[in-house]
Amino acid sequence: MIAYKFRSATEIAFAFDIIIKKRLHCSEWINLNDPMEGMFAYSRGTKPGFDIAKRVMGITEAKRKYKICSLSATYDSHLLWAHYAGGFAGVAIEIELPENDPRIKKVEARGVFAFVDLESALDEDAVAKTILFSKYEEWAYEKEIRILHDQTFFKLEKPIKRVIAGHRMPKALFQVLNITCNGLGITFNKIGIGERGLYLDPVPPPKSVKKTLS
């Protein structure tokens, strides 16, 4: 599965961490930019003796153990470059994620809240994952691919294949990324903007680069 991680020029240290250390940082979901992240509504139980508070607490506790890394299925979105790559001054990193990994899914669109039928929610951990793998439908433009992980870093099985620089990236940073990517055997492109949308513009390698990075 191919996914893209956007970073602004002011967060470029995180981009180099991905490129060189081959890992993705996972954040506490409560700190993400959607204030309704992880929130859920639920039906009241009708079974005699059903403990609503206990079930809600169980789901809430199950959610707390997970962290999130958000990526996109696409690089060719003006809004993603504007919102997450510093207005085209940052970078998009192409990442190959493992297929059929239960920790990785495309985010499902929903209403403002995820809805949970508490009486049928026997597996509280599964319910927590369902909630965290969903997001309010107004965020659908992100085409988000999400990693749920119980660790701070998600180690990548395969090396980075491509790095895409924004067309407003500072020149010095652009040159450093070009040298780094060529030294690691990573394809380096610049985002182009045309009448038909965004496209990948090839970048010539530096005049002299030795593959000394590891």
Side-chain angles (χ1 to χ4, degrees):
M1 181 187 300
I2 299 299
Y4 298 87
K5 184 65 178 178
F6 290 82
R7 286 295 188 187
S8 68
T10 58
E11 298 174 321
I12 204 63
F14 295 103
F16 278 108
D17 189 83
I18 297 170
I19 294 167
I20 295 172
K21 294 186 178 180
K22 305 178 185 68
R23 63 183 187 176
L24 294 168
H25 183 266
C26 301
S27 302
E28 300 287 344
W29 56 264
I30 200 167
N31 294 327
L32 300 181
N33 54 6
D34 181 2
M36 306 312 295
E37 190 75 63
M39 301 294 104
F40 64 97
Y42 54 87
S43 59
R44 293 188 175 275
T46 58
K47 294 179 181 178
F50 181 74
D51 192 334
I52 295 175
K54 182 179 179 181
R55 185 59 53 82
V56 170
M57 182 58 67
I59 295 170
T60 301
E61 288 296 321
K63 286 192 301 171
R64 286 176 180 165
K65 71 180 181 181
Y66 291 111
K67 301 176 188 295
I68 288 176
C69 179
S70 297
L71 305 100
S72 176
T74 184
Y75 69 86
D76 59 350
S77 165
H78 282 74
L79 291 178
L80 290 175
W81 281 95
H83 296 165
Y84 299 109
F88 287 84
V91 67
I93 303 171
E94 185 178 297
I95 294 162
E96 186 172 355
L97 297 173
E99 299 284 351
N100 303 316
D101 188 321
R103 298 171 297 178
I104 305 170
K105 289 185 179 180
K106 293 181 179 179
V107 168
E108 293 186 6
R110 55 165 167 76
V112 176
F113 299 98
F115 178 78
V116 177
D117 182 351
L118 291 181
E119 287 187 342
S120 62
L122 301 179
D123 187 335
E124 294 168 351
D125 186 71
V127 174
K129 290 177 182 177
T130 298
I131 294 169
L132 295 176
F133 274 126
S134 69
K135 198 168 184 177
Y136 183 33
E137 60 191 0
E138 287 207 5
W139 297 93
Y141 77 92
E142 295 180 342
K143 298 180 180 179
E144 185 176 347
I145 295 172
R146 180 167 284 190
I147 299 172
L148 287 191
H149 198 30
D150 58 2
Q151 304 294 323
T152 301
F153 290 101
F154 179 85
K155 190 69 176 176
L156 296 171
E157 295 178 359
K158 297 185 178 181
I160 305 302
K161 294 296 180 68
R162 186 191 309 274
V163 171
I164 308 166
H167 76 283
R168 288 179 172 174
M169 179 175 284
K171 184 177 180 180
L173 178 55
F174 185 88
Q175 292 173 337
V176 170
L177 269 174
N178 194 9
I179 292 170
T180 301
C181 289
N182 277 274
L184 291 171
I186 299 171
T187 300
F188 185 56
N189 292 124
K190 186 176 182 179
I191 199 72
I193 303 178
E195 291 184 1
R196 297 184 180 181
L198 304 181
Y199 61 91
L200 298 178
D201 201 12
V203 176
K207 292 182 179 179
S208 178
V209 175
K210 295 181 179 180
K211 292 186 178 181
T212 57
L213 298 173
S214 61

